[in-house]
Amino acid sequence: MEKVRDHDEFYLKEDRKNNPKEYFKFIYNISRKYVDSLESCNILDVGCATGDFLYFLNSVFKNSKFTGIDVMDKLLDKAKDEVEDVEFINADIYTGRNLPDDKYDVIYMSGVHSIFDEYEPWIDNLMNFKKDTGRIYIFGIFNPEEIDVLIRSRKSSDSGPWQVGWNIFSKKTIANYINKKGNQCKFYSFNIDIDIDKKEDDPLRSWTFKIENEQREVINGLQILHKFYLLEII
């Protein structure tokens, strides 16, 4: 089965640099205590897209050096034009292609791990980047149940390759592997408190709906509920 991941080109059409996403703030609030404890901080953002998250981090973390990596030149070109004082590199966290040689105090990766069918390669590569006392923060969907799920999707009118990007590995699977590698980890649950409208022209984008007590759930056109967590690896 031929697989692609070109849906991320939607980042070229949006700009969250002056209107940061809610999960940007969530990740910052969890990680800032550690970052603020350092005199200087070497920070890496994996899957940086057009640099919106790095732009936000640059505004809140001082005395820090920033690097962003992504596999799409179109996204990196926009990031280089719009985000100052950041090094951008075309590199692949899964295959290890062209990864930088540096070690990092803090590594962020948001919405990337669900692209991959195996979790070991990207975890191993992230571990190799981390300083001995460093932290890794991975944001995205994880399954609170003890089940791993691989997803493929395409529009009913499309006969081309299948899109990837919504795999759901269980918290237990990921935690067991991290512990096996000699590291500790913790999951922080993220619950969004704003409404996100459905985008009729792009049913793969997520939107919210309300359930009991005005709590919001997140779903997309795959009809999969998104259970978001921030995974901290120590």
Side-chain angles (χ1 to χ4, degrees), residues 20-75:
K21 295 181 178 180
E22 293 302 300
Y23 75 80
F24 288 5
K25 304 169 191 175
F26 177 73
I27 296 171
Y28 163 69
N29 285 328
I30 298 297
S31 63
R32 66 178 177 176
K33 182 177 180 180
Y34 174 72
V35 176
D36 288 345
S37 72
L38 305 174
E39 291 186 5
S40 62
C41 192
N42 198 12
I43 294 175
L44 174 69
D45 183 22
V46 177
C48 64
T50 57
D52 289 355
F53 185 52
L54 284 166
Y55 184 90
F56 171 74
L57 291 178
N58 206 357
S59 71
V60 293
F61 289 144
K62 307 305 178 183
N63 301 319
S64 295
K65 176 185 176 183
F66 299 97
T67 303
I69 67 172
D70 204 285
V71 297
M72 297 183 66
D73 283 327
K74 290 180 181 179
L75 303 182

Side-chain angles (χ1 to χ4, degrees), residues 64-145:
S64 295
K65 176 185 176 183
F66 299 97
T67 303
I69 67 172
D70 204 285
V71 297
M72 297 183 66
D73 283 327
K74 290 180 181 179
L75 303 182
L76 290 171
D77 288 343
K78 184 175 181 181
K80 292 173 184 177
D81 287 341
E82 297 181 350
V83 185
E84 298 179 350
D85 302 321
V86 174
E87 180 183 13
F88 291 102
I89 302 170
N90 188 314
D92 190 332
I93 193 62
Y94 187 78
T95 66
R97 177 187 58 79
N98 202 37
L99 292 176
D101 296 326
D102 288 353
K103 296 283 187 177
Y104 296 89
D105 299 292
V106 177
I107 302 169
Y108 296 103
M109 188 170 79
S110 301
V112 174
H113 69 274
S114 291
I115 295 172
F116 309 124
D117 287 354
E118 293 85 24
Y119 54 85
E120 297 92 343
W122 58 262
I123 292 178
D124 290 348
N125 283 326
L126 288 175
M127 296 290 194
N128 290 334
F129 277 141
K130 183 177 74 68
K131 291 183 180 179
D132 290 342
T133 58
R135 300 285 189 274
I136 300 171
Y137 297 94
I138 302 168
F139 182 83
I141 53 176
F142 294 92
N143 194 352
E145 304 293 337

